[in-house]
Amino acid sequence: MQRKPLIAGNWKMYTTAAEARELAAAVAEASKGLSDREVMIAPPYTALPVVKEVVAGSNLKLAAQNICWEEKGAFTGEISPLMLLELGCSMAIIGHSERRHIFGETDALINKRVAGAIKFGLVPVLCIGETLDEREGGRTMQVLEQQVRAGLADIVVTDPAKIVVAYEPVWAIGTGKTASEQQAQEAHHFVRDLLAKIYQKSIASQIRILYGGSVNPGNVDVLMSQEDVDGALVGGAALSAESFTRIINFK
Ligand code: PGA
């Protein structure tokens, strides 16, 4: 079985509900008829109700940018899986580098979020990636191994479609500096081998590993041509319907 490519747009803290309506409508239109790849968008929470309406009936998947592990309770500022399901989300980005580095989210916290997403039937997109210091210090693979092992601690995966991993080198996010296709392939291959050790080879070979970090219309084709690159997590270039349309139509 082939891994179906997944192109994901992470809108971060951009778009008011009105702007999101327009962008989502354009992306829904652009993704019409694409059957050999999946397209996901992660608008801010506040835009989810209008985006849900706009993408109804399209094949776009909706994701949250984070998720709590509890159904409800005293967790000020958090959003529960049930609330996200109600708003049409089927996936959730977890452990994004901005959550880790700006908001101090730890591997242990991220692991709880992954478990919570799975428990409620949402597909987690677990983000991992090394900083520039870590790469220059030769610690990239060590960091990735720690983030994968801790993020997936005690997570049982029997259906490889129920989890996605995104490799996003921190130094490439929002900087215009993309990892070379060799750097991406090397990291993805390492992560897949690791997943085979944690689960089984047959599961690991089916789990999608996305690349993220300054993906744009000019570099998406070569990144997607790499054996272990199964999709892209796109930030800045996902905010323009024109560039995101080109990206989802990668060759
Ligand atoms: P970028 O962001 O494409 O703007 O580098 C990617 C991400 O943060 O997911």
Side-chain angles (χ1 to χ4, degrees):
M1 214 177 82
Q2 278 287 97
R3 298 184 295 268
K4 198 177 210 180
L6 170 65
I7 303 293
N10 171 15
W11 294 4
K12 308 193 180 187
M13 199 174 73
Y14 293 101
T15 70
T16 60
E19 290 162 349
R21 177 191 295 278
E22 216 176 292
L23 182 56
V27 175
E29 180 63 29
S31 58
K32 249 191 205 161
L34 292 177
S35 55
D36 62 341
R37 58 199 67 191
E38 290 181 351
V39 182
M40 176 208 106
I41 53 174
Y45 296 122
T46 47
L48 283 171
V50 345
V51 171
K52 179 192 180 194
E53 239 176 67
V54 173
V55 307
S58 78
N59 48 14
L60 263 187
K61 293 192 184 307
L62 259 192
Q65 296 179 14
N66 208 349
I67 188 169
C68 190
W69 52 90
E70 292 286 349
E71 171 178 336
K72 59 182 165 183
F75 297 95
T76 301
E78 290 287 321
I79 311 276
S80 103
L82 281 188
M83 298 168 184
L84 296 171
L85 286 168
E86 186 183 39
L87 293 173
C89 291
S90 58
M91 307 180 84
I93 297 173
I94 298 175
H96 188 276
S97 82
E98 286 144 22
R99 298 304 319 169
R100 293 176 187 265
H101 298 287
I102 304 175
F103 299 99
E105 293 204 8
T106 60
D107 283 323
L109 185 77
I110 288 161
N111 175 246
K112 287 175 88 163
R113 297 194 189 279
V114 171
I118 290 178
K119 179 174 167 197
F120 288 89
L122 287 121
V123 174
V125 179
L126 171 64
C127 302
I128 55 170
E130 81 288 359
T131 62
L132 187 59
D133 264 9
E134 290 163 344
R135 175 161 285 269
E136 288 176 343
R139 296 194 304 281
T140 297
M141 301 309 161
Q142 196 184 317
V143 168
L144 298 183
E145 174 152 9
Q146 158 66 21
Q147 291 175 342
V148 169
R149 285 196 183 276
L152 295 178
D154 299 321
I155 302 290
V156 178
V157 177
T158 48
D159 179 352
K162 298 287 164 64
I163 186 149
V164 174
V165 176
Y167 168 61
E168 298 202 297
V170 179
W171 48 271
I173 297 180
T175 57
K177 262 198 240 163
T178 318
S180 69
E181 61 272 25
Q182 292 87 354
Q183 286 172 323
Q185 169 58 25
E186 186 193 19
H188 285 224
H189 185 74
F190 174 83
V191 170
R192 195 176 308 284
D193 272 354
L194 181 57
L195 291 171
K197 286 182 204 151
I198 300 173
Y199 301 109
Q200 296 167 23
K201 199 157 183 237
S202 59
I203 300 261
S205 67
Q206 294 303 316
I207 293 178
R208 287 176 295 184
I209 306 174
L210 316 183
Y211 168 79
S214 298
V215 174
N216 62 45
N219 59 26
V220 65
D221 297 340
V222 65
L223 286 163
M224 289 303 296
S225 72
Q226 300 301 301
E227 172 71 24
D228 288 292
V229 177
D230 308 317
L233 183 52
V234 186
L239 292 170
S240 140
E242 192 190 344
S243 59
F244 196 60
T245 298
R246 171 59 184 89
I247 291 171
I248 66 179
N249 284 292
F250 72 87
K251 301 180 182 94

